[in-house]
Amino acid sequence: MAGRPAFRVRRAETPLRGRLVAARDKSITHRAILLGALADGESRIEAPLAASADVARTVAAAERLGATVTLDGDALLVRGPVRRESAPWDLDAGASGTTARLLLGVLAGLGEACRLDGDPGLRRRPMARVTRRLVAMGARFSGPADALPIELLPGGSLAGVDHELEVASAQVASACLLAGLFASGTTRVTVPGPCRDHTERMFASFSIPVRRDGRTSAVEGPVAPSPARLRVPVDLSSALYPAVLSLLVPDSELLLEEVGVNPTRTGGLDVLARMGADVGTEAPRRFGEEPVADLRVRASRLVGVDVGPELFPRLLDDVPILAVAAAAAEGTTTFRGVGELRVKESDRVDSIAAMLRAFGGRVETTDDTLVVRGGARLSAGRVDARDDHRIAMAAVILAAVAPGTSRVTGVDVTAQSYPGFAAAMRGAGLDVEEVSDDGAAPAPRRRRGGGRAGP
Ligand code: S3P
C-alpha cells in the first residue's frame, strides 16, 4: 500500500534565479469569502488562494449557508446573502483553524441551530477563547464549547460588547468583529499587541464602517456588507519559503511578485533584515486596502539575532522558516514569547526543534522560547511534517542547504496554504521530487524549466 506523499530534496548546487508568484494570501481569502457570503449580491475575488484545502472548507461552509461560490477564470464569484431557511447547518472546518474561528463569529451572529466540527488535529485546538467572547455577546452553545465539535443553539440575539483580548489573536478579534456585524450597538475589540488587521481592512472594502484607534477596532451593528471587488495579494508567509531559499543558496536572486506587505505581517522581513538579509522592496502599490510590493531577494550571509516577544504577533506563522534561516546563520537566534506556537497545527515549538535536529541543527527550547544555535554542520535529514504544512515547507528549504539527499514525509499538508509548493520550488530551480513514503517509484512528475512558477 502506498504511504503518504514525501518530498525528496537534493542540496541546491546552482543559484536560484528568476521570478516567482508564491501562493495567494490565505487569511485574506477566507475573509473575502465569508464577507462575500454575507453581502446581498455578487462579490468578485480575484487571484484567491482557491486550491487550498483550508480555503475549500470556508467555501463549502459558505455554500452550506446558502451562498453560491463559482470559479470564473482566476476569480471566485461569491453570491450572498446567506439563506437562514437552509439551517440547521452541519459544518466541517477540516484542519483549518481560521475557518473554524471566523465562522463561529458569523454563526453566532446568524443565531441559527448548527454544529461545527473539524478533523482530529483541529479538535485538539482551543476554541474557548472565541466562544466565551461570543457568549458574552449573547450566543448560546450547548456544553462548554471549548473544543470542536461545537453546537450552537438557535435564538441567541447579540449585543455589542467591549472585548479586551488577553491573546493577540487575529482569529479571536475577527470572530468578535464578525459577530459584531449582527449585534445591536458597538462591538469593540482591543488586542494586547499588533496582530493582522485584514478583517478591519476588508470591512472597509465591503463598505462596512469600522473605527480604529491604536489597538482598538469598533463596529456598529447591525450592519450588512455590500458586495465588493478585490484582488488578493501573495501571502507573505508563503513567499518567505522561496525568500529564505534564495538567501541561503549562494549567488541566488529571486523576484517575488505581488507580495502582501501589510505592516501587521512583516515582522519576519524585519527580523531577516536585522540578520543581514538583502531583501529589496520594489513597486509598492495597493490591492484595495492592502499594501503590496515585489520583493527582490539576494543571497546573503546571515547572523543570529534576538527576537523579542513584542515582535511575535507580526511573525507568528513565520517562526519555522525564520528558524531555518537561523540554523544556517552564524551565531545564536533566540525567539522569545513564542508559547502560542504550541497550539498551532502541531506543537510548533517541538516540531521546529525536531526538524532542525534532524538536519544536525542545534536548538534548545523552553515553554515559550526557542534558541537556535547557528553555524552547526548541517547534513541531509529525514523528517516528518507532523501534519503541519509550515513544518513541511520549512524542512524542504533546510534540506536545500544540507549536503546530500533529504526526505520530508507527510507533505500532503502543504496544500493547506501552498498548493503546488514543490512545483513552485522546482520552477525556481530547486531539486525537489514528490515520492511515495513507502520508498516506491516516484509519483509522475512534470519537469519545469527555471523562471516563473504559477500562483
Ligand atoms: C490567522 C491568524 C493567526 C495565524 C493563522 C491565521 C488569521 O492565528 O496563526 O495562521 O487568518 O486570522 P491566531 O489568531 O490564532 O494567532
Side-chain angles (χ1 to χ4, degrees), residues 27 31 98 101 169-171 196 316-317 344:
S27 294
R31 287 158 170 78
T98 309
R101 296 196 177 113
S169 164
Q171 291 180 353
R196 65 190 72 194
L316 80 171
D317 289 338
K344 292 292 178 187

mmCIF file of all heavy atoms in Angstrom, residues 27 31 98 101 169-171 196 316-317 344, ligand 1:
data_model
loop_
_atom_site.group_PDB
_atom_site.id
_atom_site.type_symbol
_atom_site.label_atom_id
_atom_site.label_comp_id
_atom_site.label_asym_id
_atom_site.label_seq_id
_atom_site.Cartn_x
_atom_site.Cartn_y
_atom_site.Cartn_z
ATOM 1 N N SER A 27 -5.285 34.138 4.728
ATOM 2 C CA SER A 27 -6.123 34.900 5.668
ATOM 3 C C SER A 27 -7.104 35.793 4.911
ATOM 4 O O SER A 27 -8.288 35.875 5.241
ATOM 5 C CB SER A 27 -5.248 35.786 6.564
ATOM 6 O OG SER A 27 -4.455 35.006 7.401
ATOM 7 N N ARG A 31 -11.445 35.583 4.578
ATOM 8 C CA ARG A 31 -12.282 36.728 4.977
ATOM 9 C C ARG A 31 -13.139 37.212 3.808
ATOM 10 O O ARG A 31 -14.313 37.560 3.990
ATOM 11 C CB ARG A 31 -11.395 37.863 5.491
ATOM 12 C CG ARG A 31 -10.818 37.545 6.882
ATOM 13 C CD ARG A 31 -9.576 38.364 7.150
ATOM 14 N NE ARG A 31 -9.118 38.283 8.533
ATOM 15 C CZ ARG A 31 -8.431 37.256 9.048
ATOM 16 N NH1 ARG A 31 -8.158 36.190 8.312
ATOM 17 N NH2 ARG A 31 -8.044 37.263 10.317
ATOM 18 N N THR A 98 -8.582 28.900 11.042
ATOM 19 C CA THR A 98 -9.170 30.190 10.651
ATOM 20 C C THR A 98 -10.624 29.997 10.241
ATOM 21 O O THR A 98 -11.503 30.779 10.625
ATOM 22 C CB THR A 98 -8.358 30.833 9.508
ATOM 23 O OG1 THR A 98 -6.977 30.838 9.884
ATOM 24 C CG2 THR A 98 -8.795 32.240 9.240
ATOM 25 N N ARG A 101 -12.693 29.434 13.549
ATOM 26 C CA ARG A 101 -12.858 30.552 14.487
ATOM 27 C C ARG A 101 -13.625 31.711 13.846
ATOM 28 O O ARG A 101 -14.488 32.315 14.480
ATOM 29 C CB ARG A 101 -11.500 30.980 15.019
ATOM 30 C CG ARG A 101 -10.861 29.835 15.831
ATOM 31 C CD ARG A 101 -9.723 30.315 16.693
ATOM 32 N NE ARG A 101 -9.178 29.228 17.506
ATOM 33 C CZ ARG A 101 -7.952 28.721 17.357
ATOM 34 N NH1 ARG A 101 -7.144 29.196 16.440
ATOM 35 N NH2 ARG A 101 -7.538 27.748 18.150
ATOM 36 N N SER A 169 -4.612 37.653 19.131
ATOM 37 C CA SER A 169 -5.038 36.692 18.111
ATOM 38 C C SER A 169 -5.995 37.346 17.131
ATOM 39 O O SER A 169 -7.089 37.787 17.507
ATOM 40 C CB SER A 169 -5.723 35.498 18.774
ATOM 41 O OG SER A 169 -6.456 34.775 17.807
ATOM 42 N N ALA A 170 -5.601 37.368 15.867
ATOM 43 C CA ALA A 170 -6.466 37.944 14.846
ATOM 44 C C ALA A 170 -7.705 37.090 14.641
ATOM 45 O O ALA A 170 -8.766 37.601 14.276
ATOM 46 C CB ALA A 170 -5.701 38.074 13.540
ATOM 47 N N GLN A 171 -7.562 35.799 14.874
ATOM 48 C CA GLN A 171 -8.732 34.929 14.691
ATOM 49 C C GLN A 171 -9.807 35.268 15.726
ATOM 50 O O GLN A 171 -10.994 35.355 15.400
ATOM 51 C CB GLN A 171 -8.330 33.467 14.792
ATOM 52 C CG GLN A 171 -7.465 33.024 13.615
ATOM 53 C CD GLN A 171 -7.042 31.579 13.693
ATOM 54 O OE1 GLN A 171 -7.277 30.912 14.704
ATOM 55 N NE2 GLN A 171 -6.417 31.086 12.650
ATOM 56 N N ARG A 196 -2.602 40.793 12.818
ATOM 57 C CA ARG A 196 -3.038 41.070 11.442
ATOM 58 C C ARG A 196 -4.415 41.713 11.423
ATOM 59 O O ARG A 196 -5.337 41.245 12.092
ATOM 60 C CB ARG A 196 -2.973 39.801 10.588
ATOM 61 C CG ARG A 196 -3.885 38.693 10.973
ATOM 62 C CD ARG A 196 -3.569 37.409 10.211
ATOM 63 N NE ARG A 196 -2.325 36.835 10.685
ATOM 64 C CZ ARG A 196 -1.636 35.877 10.078
ATOM 65 N NH1 ARG A 196 -2.075 35.363 8.963
ATOM 66 N NH2 ARG A 196 -0.521 35.421 10.592
ATOM 67 N N LEU A 316 4.153 35.394 13.626
ATOM 68 C CA LEU A 316 3.920 34.112 14.302
ATOM 69 C C LEU A 316 3.946 32.902 13.381
ATOM 70 O O LEU A 316 4.540 31.879 13.723
ATOM 71 C CB LEU A 316 2.635 34.149 15.141
ATOM 72 C CG LEU A 316 1.283 33.977 14.473
ATOM 73 C CD1 LEU A 316 0.219 33.825 15.553
ATOM 74 C CD2 LEU A 316 0.935 35.168 13.626
ATOM 75 N N ASP A 317 3.368 33.011 12.192
ATOM 76 C CA ASP A 317 3.348 31.844 11.302
ATOM 77 C C ASP A 317 4.712 31.611 10.652
ATOM 78 O O ASP A 317 4.922 30.592 9.995
ATOM 79 C CB ASP A 317 2.299 32.041 10.202
ATOM 80 C CG ASP A 317 0.883 31.942 10.754
ATOM 81 O OD1 ASP A 317 0.695 31.328 11.826
ATOM 82 O OD2 ASP A 317 -0.034 32.485 10.118
ATOM 83 N N LYS A 344 -0.719 25.476 17.606
ATOM 84 C CA LYS A 344 -0.983 25.624 16.164
ATOM 85 C C LYS A 344 -1.254 24.235 15.574
ATOM 86 O O LYS A 344 -1.632 23.321 16.295
ATOM 87 C CB LYS A 344 0.206 26.319 15.495
ATOM 88 C CG LYS A 344 0.350 27.780 15.919
ATOM 89 C CD LYS A 344 -0.798 28.616 15.383
ATOM 90 C CE LYS A 344 -0.723 30.058 15.832
ATOM 91 N NZ LYS A 344 -1.921 30.812 15.455
HETATM 92 C C1 S3P B 1 -4.790 33.884 11.260
HETATM 93 C C2 S3P B 1 -4.368 34.270 12.498
HETATM 94 C C3 S3P B 1 -3.277 33.610 13.217
HETATM 95 C C4 S3P B 1 -2.436 32.745 12.293
HETATM 96 C C5 S3P B 1 -3.268 31.918 11.357
HETATM 97 C C6 S3P B 1 -4.150 32.800 10.501
HETATM 98 C C7 S3P B 1 -5.908 34.617 10.643
HETATM 99 O O1 S3P B 1 -3.825 32.803 14.226
HETATM 100 O O2 S3P B 1 -1.596 31.893 13.042
HETATM 101 O O3 S3P B 1 -2.428 31.162 10.501
HETATM 102 O O4 S3P B 1 -6.150 34.464 9.428
HETATM 103 O O5 S3P B 1 -6.579 35.374 11.358
HETATM 104 P P1 S3P B 1 -4.153 33.376 15.715
HETATM 105 O O6 S3P B 1 -5.089 34.487 15.534
HETATM 106 O O7 S3P B 1 -4.782 32.247 16.452
HETATM 107 O O8 S3P B 1 -2.850 33.771 16.282
#
